[in-house]
Amino acid sequence: MSNIAEKVVIITGASSGIGEATSRLLAESGAHVILGARRTERLEVITSDIRSEGGSSEYRAVDVTKREQVEELVNYAKNTFGKVDVIVNNAGVMPLSKLEALKTDEWDRMIDVNIRGVLHGIAAGLPIMKKQGFGQFINISSIGGHEVTPTAAVYCATKFAVRAISEGLRMEVGKHIRVTTVSPGVTQSELADSISDEEAIEFMKEYRKTAISPDSIARTILFAIEQPEDVAVNEIIVRPTGT
Ligand code: NDP
């Protein structure tokens, strides 16, 4: 039996893209998945697909910018299954634009979802994992967490922050809790749909042509989970070949 069977895995941003692909793959691999996002109609379809194939899936409406909602999601998983093995802090938005466009509401949204959302997942899960003596956080950064590109200053800042937070967490949690940061390159998803800046939209059309399937990132997440408990895969970059 794989190390993933019967694990209780919470995935934020599970309604599309990487989160959806991860939810489906982990459920197929025997995990109990608990899906969180705002578009519950999507989560309902994914959950029903997973159950019809014999998998275990639950879902909850969650806005990761609201700490109490993330806590409710994590507590729901703990109360339903008695433990929380993995939290995949995946929810993210990427409304790119040059700083001079002063889209300050979009800066706030990226900070709230991409940074605060991850912190809310940690705040909700860490006390439970410490108490039970095991657990794993998988935080989704980006190649934008390794290099900065024009129009992406704030987005990259949030993804650098995800890596910084993950590294701090890794050093603090000690022996029994694993911390993994996954940094995808261009991946097919709805992420670019959040861009409102015309120049950035045009640039992205070309840039995203090389995108790989979200299943590739899901397989990476599966790999990090299925290692033996004394093996922590800390950081992985996965990008389209040749980019
Ligand atoms: P998608 O846009 O397809 O998925 C984003 C997910 O985040 C959706 O399920 C969305 O759900 C959720 N989300 C957004 N805002 C909130 C919120 N406030 N509360 C809860 N959920 C929210 O994009 P991806 O699958 O690509 O994105 C997943 C992660 O991967 C992100 O962190 C992204 O930054 C990262 N990434 C993606 C890359 C790519 O090229 N695709 C490259 C590098 C990193 P809903 O709207 O239903 O709430």
Side-chain angles (χ1 to χ4, degrees):
M1 205 192 262
S2 113
N3 187 27
I4 193 139
E6 304 299 330
K7 281 203 165 168
V8 177
V9 184
I10 297 162
I11 301 145
T12 67
S15 58
S16 63
I18 292 168
E20 174 179 353
T22 302
S23 302
R24 290 181 186 276
L25 181 65
L26 297 186
E28 203 180 287
S29 310
H32 300 287
V33 292
I34 298 90
L35 283 47
R38 294 165 305 170
R39 291 171 294 177
T40 47
E41 66 288 355
R42 299 262 196 121
L43 299 180
E44 191 178 350
V45 170
I46 299 164
T47 286
S48 131
D49 286 352
I50 289 173
R51 288 181 180 166
S52 70
E53 283 158 22
S56 166
S57 179
E58 306 284 334
Y59 71 88
R60 279 284 176 276
V62 62
D63 179 340
V64 297
T65 68
K66 310 271 192 281
R67 187 183 159 195
E68 64 285 355
Q69 291 189 20
V70 180
E71 197 167 65
E72 197 274 329
L73 173 75
V74 174
N75 286 342
Y76 171 78
K78 166 80 167 86
N79 295 337
T80 307
F81 296 103
K83 61 173 182 162
V84 173
D85 291 285
V86 185
I87 298 179
V88 184
N89 286 310
N90 165 72
V93 291
M94 190 190 67
L96 303 178
S97 61
K98 284 189 179 158
L99 290 168
E100 67 186 19
L102 298 184
K103 290 184 179 276
T104 54
D105 288 350
E106 295 185 349
W107 301 352
D108 288 345
R109 196 148 59 88
M110 284 187 274
I111 292 165
D112 285 346
V113 177
N114 301 2
I115 303 178
R116 289 206 170 85
V118 170
L119 287 170
H120 293 158
I122 292 168
L126 192 52
I128 294 172
M129 291 183 189
K130 288 208 88 151
K131 195 163 177 202
Q132 69 192 11
F134 59 87
Q136 182 172 16
F137 289 99
I138 301 184
N139 299 329
I140 307 304
S141 177
S142 167
I143 49 162
H146 295 258
E147 63 195 19
V148 182
T149 45
T151 76
V154 179
Y155 179 73
C156 293
T158 66
K159 293 303 184 177
F160 271 72
V162 170
R163 291 184 59 225
I165 292 162
S166 304
E167 181 61 2
L169 180 65
R170 179 189 75 76
M171 290 188 289
E172 285 178 18
V173 287
K175 216 171 165 200
H176 303 293
I177 298 173
R178 304 190 292 177
V179 181
T180 303
T181 309
V182 177
S183 294
V186 188
T187 305
Q188 290 149 13
S189 76
E190 298 174 14
L191 194 66
D193 298 354
S194 61
I195 304 174
S196 67
D197 184 82
E198 289 301 330
E199 199 183 333
I201 290 172
E202 279 312 307
F203 175 73
M204 274 294 122
K205 277 186 192 156
E206 195 56 38
Y207 182 71
R208 296 189 69 79
K209 277 186 179 161
T210 56
I212 50 176
S213 158
D215 296 334
S216 333
I217 313 302
R219 287 195 301 275
T220 304
I221 292 170
L222 173 68
F223 170 77
I225 298 174
E226 71 184 358
Q227 299 310 306
E229 295 302 323
D230 61 347
V231 177
V233 177
N234 293 133
E235 278 230 57
I236 311 187
I237 301 178
V238 189
R239 41 158 92 87
T241 306
T243 65

